[in-house]
Amino acid sequence: SGATTDARGASSTMGLRISPEALDKLVRANRIAENVWSLDNILRVLSYSGLLGATVLAEANGGKETPMVQFLTTMFNKVTDARFINRVGGFPSTLESLFSLAQDKDKSIHSLLSKIMTWSMIIYYPLEHTWLLSTFSNKLINIDGDKWSMWSCRAWAVYVIADLVGTFLRIKALSKALARIQSKKVDATEKERKEMEEKRKHLYIWSTCALSDLVMALHWSVEEGPVSTKQICAVGIYGGLASLYLKFIKSAGGADSDDE
């Protein structure tokens, strides 16, 4: 009776069985979901899926708000609120990065980009958090919420641009290294070569995540964004899923970083 776990076989609880491989994947998925940024991506996929479904159904019914459209719209609004509240937990880690970088004597371009990304988030979070509080009571916090929200998205856009530049520089460096290996100018084992190719592939995927974020950041940075609702939903869903995919792949090696 009770639960038993055999490292060589399946784990069981009250007759339920799961293979070690499946259990490992479940543990990795749970570890990822505990992260503020990963949870934001999960909620992002859910919210934009709801908005996309509501938009498509409303168009199919001639703009009529059916009960399902209302349900999906409410789902989008509530899950989006949960995203904003969840992101309150991101500010402390940004402060940690700020103090760590203050002691960093590295003068490389990557260090500079990291500092730009950190400072953009130092600006982003107070703007977004203040806007969020104003939505609870605009009598207590009487601000132009739209402007605060747009400026927070502009800070986000700066972060994403710096992230993209750093990602492309890393891809370029890996491509040069792989070219030198292929031309026999440097020695490397087959395992090392494959690891470099895999890392470059992940960076390419990450760059598409960042590009999707850039589309969203620029769209929300102006009063009337140029991108349609369905397009915003598409890039929002893709960026969230691709980011979660990369985190899941990296978790196999015990890594739990927030980006590539």
Side-chain angles (χ1 to χ4, degrees), residues 180-256:
R180 288 173 63 84
I181 291 172
Q182 193 158 2
S183 63
K184 308 297 183 182
K185 291 182 179 179
V186 294
D187 294 326
T189 65
E190 183 66 12
K191 180 182 178 182
E192 289 172 334
R193 184 187 64 79
K194 287 185 176 180
E195 286 178 349
M196 292 173 69
E197 288 180 340
E198 189 72 6
K199 187 171 184 178
R200 183 174 63 172
K201 184 182 78 171
H202 291 170
L203 285 170
Y204 274 124
I205 297 174
W206 179 253
S207 69
T208 64
C209 295
L211 284 170
S212 70
D213 281 355
L214 184 59
V215 171
M216 301 178 74
L218 294 177
H219 175 78
W220 299 122
S221 292
V222 293
E223 289 188 11
E224 295 184 8
V227 185
S228 71
T229 298
K230 287 191 286 188
Q231 290 170 334
I232 279 292
C233 290
V235 296
I237 293 168
Y238 170 79
L241 288 175
S243 180
L244 288 169
Y245 166 76
L246 288 174
K247 286 178 171 62
F248 186 76
I249 293 298
K250 290 182 69 175
S251 70
D256 192 26

Side-chain angles (χ1 to χ4, degrees), residues 109-137:
I109 182 64
H110 289 288
S111 177
L112 174 61
L113 290 170
S114 293
K115 290 173 182 175
I116 291 173
M117 292 167 69
T118 298
W119 275 106
S120 67
M121 288 294 99
I122 290 292
I123 296 170
Y124 167 84
Y125 281 114
L127 289 171
E128 181 177 83
H129 296 346
T130 303
W131 166 82
L132 177 63
L133 291 173
S134 74
T135 65
F136 298 153
S137 175

Side-chain angles (χ1 to χ4, degrees), residues 13-160:
T13 303
M14 299 179 64
L16 298 177
R17 288 186 171 273
I18 184 171
S19 69
E21 294 79 10
L23 181 59
D24 177 64
K25 289 181 179 178
L26 179 60
V27 170
R28 286 161 55 194
N30 287 335
R31 188 188 310 134
I32 290 169
E34 293 170 354
N35 182 284
V36 170
W37 316 113
S38 297
L39 180 55
D40 181 64
N41 279 314
I42 293 170
L43 295 174
R44 167 174 166 165
V45 172
L46 288 174
S47 66
Y48 282 113
S49 295
L51 180 59
L52 180 60
T55 302
V56 171
L57 285 175
E59 289 180 356
N61 287 278
K64 182 181 179 181
E65 285 200 6
T66 64
M68 181 55 72
V69 170
Q70 293 174 350
F71 170 82
L72 291 172
T73 301
T74 301
M75 168 185 159
F76 165 73
N77 290 330
K78 291 186 179 297
V79 175
T80 298
D81 287 343
R83 286 188 68 197
F84 287 125
I85 294 170
N86 172 65
R87 284 206 293 265
V88 171
F91 191 52
S93 66
T94 301
L95 286 175
E96 179 184 339
S97 297
L98 179 66
F99 291 123
S100 297
L101 287 171
Q103 304 172 30
D104 185 9
K105 304 301 181 183
D106 186 2
K107 302 297 183 181
S108 69
I109 182 64
H110 289 288
S111 177
L112 174 61
L113 290 170
S114 293
K115 290 173 182 175
I116 291 173
M117 292 167 69
T118 298
W119 275 106
S120 67
M121 288 294 99
I122 290 292
I123 296 170
Y124 167 84
Y125 281 114
L127 289 171
E128 181 177 83
H129 296 346
T130 303
W131 166 82
L132 177 63
L133 291 173
S134 74
T135 65
F136 298 153
S137 175
N138 57 12
K139 291 183 179 179
L140 290 177
I141 305 177
N142 187 14
I143 62 172
D144 188 335
D146 289 342
K147 285 187 177 179
W148 282 67
S149 178
M150 285 189 291
W151 275 107
S152 72
C153 288
R154 290 165 188 166
W156 178 29
V158 171
Y159 174 95
V160 176

